[in-house]
Amino acid sequence: MRRQPGPSARLKLALSYAGFLFVAGALLLAVVWMFLLRYVPDNSQGLLGVSPNRYLLVRTFAPAAAAAMLFLLMFGLLGGWVLAGRMLRPLTRIADAARTAGKGSLSHRVRMEGRQDEFRELADTFDSMLEQLESHVAEQQRFAANASHELRTPLAISRTLLDVALKDPARDHRELLERLSVVNARAIDLTEALLLLSRGDRGNFTRESVDLSLLAEEAAETLLPLAEQRRITLDVTGDVTGGAPRTTGSPELLLRMVTNLVQNAVVHNLPAGGTVTVRTEAYGDTSVLRVENTGSVLPAELVATLTEPFRRGTERVRTDEHAGVGLGLAIVHSIVRAHDGILDLTPRPAGGLRVTVRLPAEP
C-alpha cells in the first residue's frame, strides 16, 4: 500500500516535547504576571514610594523572559529529538525484523534485551509470531513435498503398468485392470484425505448438536468386520452419570474423526487377540472420547510426531490393504483443532496407544 510521505514519528515527538516546554514556560510567565507584576503600581513612586515601578520591572523582565522562552524551545527540540530517538529505537529494530521477514527470512529474531516494558513485550510477541510462522511454513513445505511424493507413487505405478501392457499386448488385461483399480482407489483415498484435511484446517462448516456416544457406536459397527477379521475385540462403553457427551460441530467431520481413531486402533494392534476400547463420557463443560488399543510398546518421541501429516514410524507401517498414507491422525488433529478441542496421545506402558479427545460440551 503506497502512502504519501509525511513527518517521522521522531520529529512529531520532538515537536511535541518542544511544544510542551514552550506552553509550560508561557503558563509560568502568565502566573508571574497574574499574581505578581499586576499588583505592582504603575506610577513614578513605585511600590510604597520606592522604585522600581511596574514599567521598569516589565522592561527588565521581558528580555530575560523572551530569552528563556527561546532557550526552552531550542532545548525542547534538541532534547525531544534525542529522547524520541532513544524511545523509538526498539520500534526501529522491530521494523527492520519485519522487513527482513517480509523478504522471506523467517529465522531472524529481534531478541530485545533489557527489562520488561511495552516495547520488550511487543518484541517478544513479534519473535513468538515469527517462530510460529516459520514452523507453520516449514510444516506446509513438508506437507507439500510429502503430498507430491505420495500422489506421484500411484501415478508412477499406473504408468509402469500401462507401459508393460503396451509392450506386451498378449498379456492378460484382467490382471492389469485389477492392479490399476487398486492403485486408482489408493490415489482417490489419498486425494479425499487431503481434501478432508484442508476442510478441517479451514473450519468452514455448519455446527450442529452431536452425541459422541452415538458416533462411537456407529464407527464401531462399521469397523466390526475388520476387527473380527483380525481377531480384535472391540468394546464400546459410555458413562452417562455426567450426562450425554454432546458437543457442537460437523457430524460428518466428527464421525470421520471417531472412525479414523477406531480404525487406527484396530489396524495398529497385536497380530491376534488384541483389544480396542472406546469410551465416551461427559465432565462438566467437556465431552470426552477415549480410544485405547493394545499393541507394541511405542517410544514417547514417536508418539509426539504421529499427528504430523505423512508421519509414519517404522513400527507402525503396514503392507496390507489398510496401509494408509499417514494422514489418519493428522486428520483427527485437524478436526479436533477446528472444533476447539484438545487431542492427547499417550503410549500405554504395556503397549499400544491411548488417544483422548476433549471437546467443548454443548451449551
Side-chain angles (χ1 to χ4, degrees):
M1 178 179 179
R2 293 185 175 273
R3 299 180 184 272
Q4 294 295 330
S8 64
R10 186 176 185 180
L11 178 59
K12 292 178 180 179
L13 287 176
L15 292 176
S16 299
Y17 295 151
F20 176 79
L21 283 178
F22 188 83
V23 172
L27 290 176
L28 181 59
L29 292 179
V31 170
V32 172
W33 169 258
M34 291 181 61
F35 295 98
L36 183 60
L37 293 180
R38 63 181 298 186
Y39 295 108
V40 177
D42 190 14
N43 52 51
S44 59
Q45 298 299 322
L47 183 61
L48 301 177
V50 181
S51 294
N53 56 20
R54 187 196 304 175
Y55 172 76
L56 294 176
L57 289 176
V58 170
R59 290 196 57 183
T60 304
F61 180 71
M69 293 296 295
L70 180 61
F71 172 78
L72 286 177
L73 182 61
M74 300 303 297
F75 180 78
L77 287 174
L78 180 60
W81 181 263
V82 174
L83 290 177
R86 291 176 59 88
M87 293 295 297
L88 295 177
R89 190 175 303 164
L91 291 182
T92 303
R93 291 182 57 179
I94 297 175
D96 292 339
R99 281 190 289 267
T100 303
K103 296 178 181 178
S105 178
L106 299 178
S107 60
H108 181 72
R109 299 291 184 270
V110 180
R111 293 189 177 91
M112 185 111 19
E113 63 280 352
R115 297 184 177 181
Q116 183 70 14
D117 60 12
E118 288 81 356
F119 290 118
R120 272 71 180 177
E121 183 179 358
L122 176 62
D124 293 342
T125 304
F126 187 78
D127 285 345
S128 177
M129 182 193 68
L130 284 179
E131 184 176 355
Q132 295 180 7
L133 184 60
E134 183 183 19
S135 176
H136 181 71
V137 170
E139 180 182 351
Q140 292 299 317
Q141 290 175 347
R142 290 195 306 269
F143 179 83
N146 291 329
S148 301
H149 174 74
E150 295 287 347
L151 287 172
R152 184 178 59 183
T153 299
L155 295 177
I157 295 175
S158 299
R159 180 178 179 179
T160 301
L161 293 175
L162 292 174
D163 289 341
V164 171
L166 290 175
K167 293 179 181 179
D168 187 9
R171 187 169 181 173
D172 186 10
H173 289 175
R174 179 179 298 276
E175 179 184 359
L176 172 65
L177 292 176
E178 290 178 354
R179 297 186 63 182
L180 283 176
S181 176
V182 173
V183 174
N184 185 63
R186 184 174 177 82
I188 292 176
D189 291 341
L190 174 60
T191 304
E192 290 180 350
L194 291 173
L195 291 175
L196 185 61
L197 184 62
S198 174
R199 181 186 174 190
D201 287 336
R202 291 195 305 268
N204 54 349
F205 49 80
T206 303
R207 293 181 177 268
E208 303 176 15
S209 177
V210 180
D211 190 335
L212 292 181
S213 60
L214 297 180
L215 296 184
E217 294 177 359
E218 183 177 351
E221 182 179 355
T222 302
L223 295 171
L224 183 59
L226 175 62
E228 293 177 346
Q229 177 187 348
R230 295 174 177 271
R231 290 180 289 176
I232 303 295
T233 302
L234 183 56
D235 184 25
V236 180
T237 60
D239 184 4
V240 297
T241 57
R246 305 188 68 88
T247 186
T248 55
S250 168
E252 177 188 356
L253 290 178
L254 291 175
L255 177 60
R256 183 59 181 266
M257 175 196 73
V258 180
T259 304
N260 280 12
L261 288 177
V262 177
Q263 180 176 349
N264 188 77
V266 171
V267 172
H268 303 289
N269 212 308
L270 296 175
T275 61
V276 174
T277 303
V278 183
R279 181 178 177 83
T280 58
E281 49 196 347
Y283 285 114
D285 58 352
T286 304
S287 296
V288 180
L289 169 72
R290 185 175 290 107
V291 180
E292 295 187 40
N293 70 319
T294 55
S296 58
V297 178
L298 299 175
E301 57 272 14
L302 173 64
V303 174
T305 63
L306 292 180
T307 57
E308 296 182 13
F310 304 104
R311 193 60 180 256
R312 291 167 293 184
T314 55
E315 300 90 343
R316 297 171 60 81
V317 174
R318 309 285 303 191
T319 57
D320 55 15
E321 70 276 9
H322 296 282
V325 294
L327 285 175
L329 289 178
I331 292 176
V332 170
H333 186 220
S334 175
I335 294 174
V336 172
R337 185 171 50 192
H339 286 78
D340 303 321
I342 300 175
L343 176 65
D344 182 31
L345 276 65
T346 307
R348 300 175 71 245
L353 188 67
R354 178 186 298 111
V355 182
T356 305
V357 177
R358 295 180 176 85
L359 297 173
E362 181 184 18

